[in-house]
């Protein structure tokens, strides 16, 4: 039977606060965008149109009159286009501005002139129009949700709690933005250094014209053209050999042994790529910071509508799920967001000599330390369903705050502020159901009771075995290919600093490969034999504490004074759910819990050595060493 929601003290519920009841909440939830307006379709349309345009439109050749140097306006337009894809997903208003800027650049590039005669050019404005329609549709329905929330809240308006008024957003985003923009500035400075060095040397070099006599593609890493000029043959590296066919005339600058094509004066592509990455990341974080700060300021601007709701924190990712006030079973989530606790600034110091203060602090520290250890071990109890007061008019993309007790042990009411935008709890586009915390666990699927699991298991004297299945082995083979390819890429060029990634990542990767390929749990009369990557462990039935399945792994607790047993990865639960199947490893964990609590279901047989499993970690190490040696020697 479900526990009653954790009550909120009456003095923390503003007078006149309305309950957000299921009919009103469902009306709010129904005001969500249509499936055609999902950001995924707009992003796919824009990407497909962009790729088609780049493939179909003729590329401008490098010439002496229009050399292929740095193209900062083109790079900035590429930054805008990439950011627009991100903003389509996260920030519709900025995405509309990005689409408008992209169409301006498209027009300046002659795209609209080409659109009348070429399908590849017409695709981009059509995709932009489709994306814009979806964005406008999403913004309109967000406004509809806001109106419905205001209607449900009635005329009552209350000031934001003091702790929420001091909460500041955007500092982390602004810090990362400053760092990334500094990186972009450094890349720009270095690219200009390359360009200035070329201009300085070309100014004192000899200008020549010559004829391309051959193309040299013998080198795997670069292409060269051979140019005959002033009685000499020069071999010059080029990035675009197709622009210099045999027999064509090219201009050169020659300074002793140094020679360069005027059409391709220098190569600053690496620095341009650094500028591009720094600008995309920096501007994205800066926009996020500005958006968070703006919404936070708007929330603090004046009295707000308030609604009484129920909330629960997801046990896995800390997401806050909001339910209607009359949904004590937490069956129908309405919206979700991530939040952080807000605290008022306290300047009052403790008075010295206050009796019992030190003891109380010690007890509180001990409780906090115990909770921290439970969280690390995955044994902490699931967060409770709590009564809360929601401040602000919730709608897609909005900022809200809530007041609620954090847990049963804490009588004080905690104020939390959203740090991500509000999202309706509707099914995802590519999922059969929305992710929501199942009753009491925060799992992605409801947990069956031990009695239900035990009833589905037939008593047997023989051993019970759970082992790597087809999808788990497929994950292992995929990781093995990644391992082999990574070793080839890093060792093929001989010794370099990149080998440090092998030292850091190879042990984890080999452990994951060995586990995914051959993990095995054998239950017999006296306990479990658990085969991991490197060894087989014996766990007696009396020593087993809760068994959990999370993040594609199985964790078997072994009590105090002994390390828990963890197997990861044991499959791909996400894909199994998408295929309509119950994850095999999740079912294994449930059956292990049933055996732990129902001794009559345990096997009567003792497992022989041949059925206890064999780890493949050590052979995999030998195979990896042989592979690495082959790459180095061959």
């Amino acid at each position: 039977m479900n526990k009653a929601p954790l009550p909120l003290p009456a003095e923390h519920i503003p007078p006149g606060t309305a309950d957000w009841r299921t009919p009103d909440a469902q009306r709010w939830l129904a005001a969500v965008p249509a499936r055609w307006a999902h950001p995924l379709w707009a992003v796919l349309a824009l990407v497909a149109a962009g790729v088609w345009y780049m493939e179909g439109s003729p590329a401008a050749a490098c010439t002496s009159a229009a050399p292929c140097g740095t193209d900062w306006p083109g790079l900035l337009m590429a930054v805008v286009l990439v950011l627009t894809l991100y903003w389509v997903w996260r920030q519709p208003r900025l995405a509309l501005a990005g689409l408008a800027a992209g169409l301006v650049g498209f027009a300046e590039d002659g795209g609209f002139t080409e659109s009348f005669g070429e399908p590849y050019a017409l695709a981009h404005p059509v995709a932009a129009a489709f994306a814009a329609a979806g964005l406008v549709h999403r913004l309109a329905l967000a406004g509809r949700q806001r109106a419905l929330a205001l209607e449900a809240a009635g005329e009552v308006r209350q000031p934001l709690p003091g702790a929420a008024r001091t909460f500041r957003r955007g500092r982390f985003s602004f810090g990362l933005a400053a760092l990334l923009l500094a990186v972009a500035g450094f890349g720009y400075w270095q690219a200009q250094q390359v360009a200035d060095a070329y201009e300085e040397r070309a100014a004192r070099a000899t200008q020549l014209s010559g004829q391309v006599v051959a193309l040299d593609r013998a080198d795997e890493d670069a292409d060269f053209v051979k140019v005959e000029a002033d009685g000499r043959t020069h071999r010059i590296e080029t990035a675009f050999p197709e622009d210099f066919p045999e027999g064509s005339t090219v201009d050169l600058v020659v300074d002793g042994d140094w020679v360069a094509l005027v059409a391709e004066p220098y190569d600053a592509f690496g620095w341009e790529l650094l500028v591009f990455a720094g600008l995309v990341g920096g501007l994205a974080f800066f926009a996020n910071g500005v958006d968070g700060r703006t919404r936070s300021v708007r929330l603090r601007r004046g009295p707000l509508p308030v609604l009484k709701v129920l909330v629960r924190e997801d046990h896995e990712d800390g997401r806050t799920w909001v339910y209607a006030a009359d949904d004590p079973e937490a069956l129908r989530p309405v919206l979700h967001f991530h939040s952080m606790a807000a605290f008022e600034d306290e300047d009052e110091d403790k008075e010295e000599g206050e009796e019992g203060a030190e003891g109380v602090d010690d007890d509180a520290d001990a409780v906090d330390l115990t909770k921290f250890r439970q969280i690390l071990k995955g044994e902490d109890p699931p967060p409770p369903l709590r009564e809360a007061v929601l401040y602000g008019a919730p709608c897609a993309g909005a900022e809200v705050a809530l007041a609620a007790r954090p847990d049963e042990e804490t009588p004080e009411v905690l104020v939390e502020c959203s740090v991500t935008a509000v999202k309706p709890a509707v099914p995802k586009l590519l999922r059969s159901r929305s992710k929501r915390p199942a009753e009491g666990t925060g799992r992605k699927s409801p947990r069956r009771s031990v009695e239900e699991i035990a009833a589905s298991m037939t008593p047997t004297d023989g051993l019970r075995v759970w082992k790597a299945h087809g999808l788990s082995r497929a994950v292992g083979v995929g990781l093995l290919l990644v391992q082999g390819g990574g070793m080839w890429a890093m060792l093929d060029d001989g010794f370099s600093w990149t080998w440090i990634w092998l030292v850091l990542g190879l042990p984890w990767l080999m452990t994951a490969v060995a586990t995914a390929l051959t993990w095995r749990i054998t239950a017999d009369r006296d306990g479990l034999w658990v085969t991991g990557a490197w060894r087989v462990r014996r766990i007696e039935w009396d020593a087993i504490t809760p068994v959990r399945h999370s993040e594609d792994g199985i964790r078997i607790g072994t009590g105090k004074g002994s390390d828990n047993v963890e197997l990861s990865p044991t499959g791909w639960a996400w894909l199994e759910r998408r295929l309509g199947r119950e994850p095999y490893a999740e079912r294994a964990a449930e059956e292990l819990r049933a055996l732990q609590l129902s001794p009559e279901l345990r096997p009567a047989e003792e497992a022989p050595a041949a059925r206890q499993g064999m780890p493949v970690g050590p052979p995999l190490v030998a195979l990896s060493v042989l592979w690495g040696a082959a790459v180095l020697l061959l």
Side-chain angles (χ1 to χ4, degrees):
M1 183 175 179
N2 294 322
K3 297 175 63 176
L6 191 63
L8 180 66
E11 61 269 21
H12 290 277
I13 303 176
T17 300
D19 290 350
W20 201 9
R21 297 192 173 275
T22 297
D24 292 329
Q26 292 305 308
R27 288 174 58 207
W28 183 94
L29 197 56
V32 294
R35 285 183 173 267
W36 67 266
H38 194 281
L40 176 64
W41 305 131
V43 169
L44 290 178
L46 290 171
V47 170
V51 172
W52 192 9
Y53 182 76
M54 288 189 293
E55 288 293 326
S57 61
C62 300
T63 64
S64 299
C68 293
T70 51
D71 180 15
W72 298 120
L75 184 141
L76 289 175
M77 183 53 61
V79 168
V80 171
L81 293 177
V82 172
L83 284 174
T84 299
L85 297 177
Y86 171 69
W87 288 334
V88 163
W89 208 285
R90 295 290 301 273
Q91 298 183 17
R93 289 180 175 82
L94 282 178
L96 288 172
L99 288 174
L103 289 176
V104 170
F106 184 74
E108 291 184 353
D109 195 36
F112 283 111
T113 303
E114 297 176 4
S115 298
F116 293 103
E118 299 293 344
Y120 66 81
L122 182 62
H124 179 73
V126 170
F130 172 73
L135 293 169
V136 172
H137 178 67
R138 287 162 57 192
L139 290 172
L141 286 179
R144 170 65 177 159
Q145 286 181 329
R146 177 178 172 82
L148 289 172
L150 291 173
E151 181 182 338
E155 300 297 326
V156 176
R157 298 292 183 270
Q158 293 292 333
L160 200 63
R165 288 197 294 270
T166 62
F167 189 79
R168 293 292 180 267
R169 289 280 311 276
R171 294 175 182 173
F172 181 74
S173 294
F174 286 139
L176 279 180
L179 178 62
L180 291 171
L181 292 175
V183 169
F186 174 76
Y188 175 79
W189 176 66
Q190 289 291 337
Q192 288 300 109
Q193 292 288 99
V194 172
D196 293 343
Y198 167 80
E199 295 294 343
E200 182 180 347
R201 192 163 190 177
R204 62 174 184 267
T206 303
Q207 305 282 335
L208 296 176
S209 293
Q211 187 176 34
V212 177
V213 295
L215 296 178
D216 185 356
R217 299 176 181 267
D219 196 313
E220 295 181 358
D221 299 324
D223 294 316
F224 294 86
V225 292
K226 292 183 178 179
V227 180
E228 188 174 297
D230 197 24
R232 295 179 57 189
T233 300
H234 301 277
R235 186 170 181 263
I236 310 167
E237 184 176 349
T238 175
F240 305 101
E242 63 276 7
D243 291 344
F244 310 105
E246 292 186 27
S248 60
T249 300
V250 295
D251 295 322
L252 309 177
V253 285
V254 181
D255 183 16
D257 294 333
W258 177 79
V259 60
L261 293 165
V262 174
E264 289 186 25
Y266 50 85
D267 181 12
F269 178 75
W271 297 118
E272 289 179 296
L273 190 61
L274 184 65
V275 173
F276 175 80
L279 284 177
V280 169
L283 292 176
F285 277 110
F286 181 76
N288 288 345
V290 171
D291 180 66
R293 181 64 59 86
T294 302
R295 287 193 280 117
S296 180
V297 170
R298 189 181 303 123
L299 189 69
R300 301 194 305 267
R301 188 169 295 165
L304 300 169
V306 287
L307 290 165
K308 187 180 177 184
V309 296
L310 299 177
V311 298
R312 170 176 281 153
E313 188 175 285
D314 195 300
H315 203 197
E316 292 182 353
D317 63 6
R319 189 185 304 272
T320 299
W321 293 79
V322 176
Y323 302 84
D326 58 351
D327 185 13
E329 303 293 327
L331 299 177
R332 297 173 295 276
V334 183
L335 57 92
H336 58 86
F337 53 86
H338 282 96
S339 63
M340 288 184 63
F343 302 96
E344 294 189 62
D345 296 332
E346 296 183 0
D347 298 327
E348 299 180 1
D349 297 330
K350 291 183 179 179
E351 295 182 5
E352 296 184 4
E354 187 175 343
E355 294 185 5
E358 185 176 353
V360 172
D361 288 345
D362 289 343
D363 291 341
D365 291 343
V367 171
D368 290 342
L369 185 58
T370 300
K371 289 184 178 180
F372 182 67
R373 288 172 178 167
Q374 289 177 335
I375 291 172
L376 289 180
K377 293 181 179 180
E379 299 172 357
D380 55 312
L385 186 66
R386 304 170 288 159
E387 291 183 352
V389 172
L390 194 67
Y391 290 83
C395 62
E399 188 98 354
V400 294
L402 63 89
R405 288 174 57 194
D407 50 50
E408 295 178 355
E409 291 77 18
T410 307
E412 293 82 8
V413 171
L414 188 67
V415 177
E416 302 175 33
C417 294
S418 61
V419 293
T420 59
V422 167
K423 293 183 180 180
V426 294
K428 298 291 183 67
L429 183 66
L430 300 179
R431 298 179 61 166
S432 59
R433 59 190 173 191
S434 62
K435 180 184 182 296
R436 62 188 64 180
E439 177 60 36
T441 65
R443 289 157 42 105
K444 296 179 181 65
S445 58
R447 173 179 290 175
R448 297 180 295 171
S449 66
V450 174
E451 292 78 9
E452 184 181 354
I453 300 167
S456 66
M457 298 174 65
T458 304
T460 178
D461 292 336
L463 303 177
R464 293 185 183 271
V465 178
W466 303 266
K467 59 183 179 179
H469 55 302
L471 191 55
S472 178
R473 294 193 180 100
V475 171
V477 171
L479 291 174
L480 185 61
L481 294 175
V482 171
Q483 174 186 328
M487 292 179 65
W488 177 283
M490 292 185 182
L491 299 179
D492 188 42
D493 293 332
F495 180 79
S496 72
W497 67 270
T498 58
W499 284 23
I500 192 173
W501 297 113
L502 286 179
V503 177
L504 296 176
L506 201 56
W508 173 86
L509 196 55
M510 286 194 293
T511 299
V513 170
T515 302
L517 289 175
T518 60
W519 70 270
R520 180 187 181 101
I521 302 175
T522 302
D524 66 5
R525 179 185 62 195
D526 300 318
L528 302 177
W529 294 97
V530 183
T531 303
W534 307 103
R535 60 172 176 159
V536 179
R537 285 192 59 177
R538 178 62 165 173
I539 311 175
E540 302 293 337
W541 286 116
D542 293 340
I544 298 175
T545 58
V547 181
R548 289 175 177 265
H549 171 268
S550 64
E551 301 298 333
D552 292 321
I554 297 175
R555 176 186 295 170
I556 303 174
T558 56
K560 296 181 179 180
S562 182
D563 294 334
N564 293 335
V565 178
E566 295 192 20
L567 299 174
S568 179
T570 54
W572 193 357
W574 181 88
L575 182 57
E576 290 180 84
R577 291 191 182 96
R578 300 291 76 70
L579 296 175
R581 306 173 185 170
E582 180 184 7
Y584 176 79
E586 184 175 304
R587 186 170 70 251
E590 291 178 339
E591 292 179 354
L592 285 170
R593 280 193 294 271
L595 292 180
Q596 176 197 359
L597 300 175
S598 304
E600 66 276 7
L601 294 175
R602 298 172 187 171
E605 182 182 343
E606 185 177 354
R611 308 246 349 236
Q612 295 170 9
M614 183 184 73
V616 298
L620 183 61
V621 172
L623 179 65
S624 299
V625 170
L626 291 176
W627 173 248
V631 172
L632 288 173
L633 296 176
L634 299 179

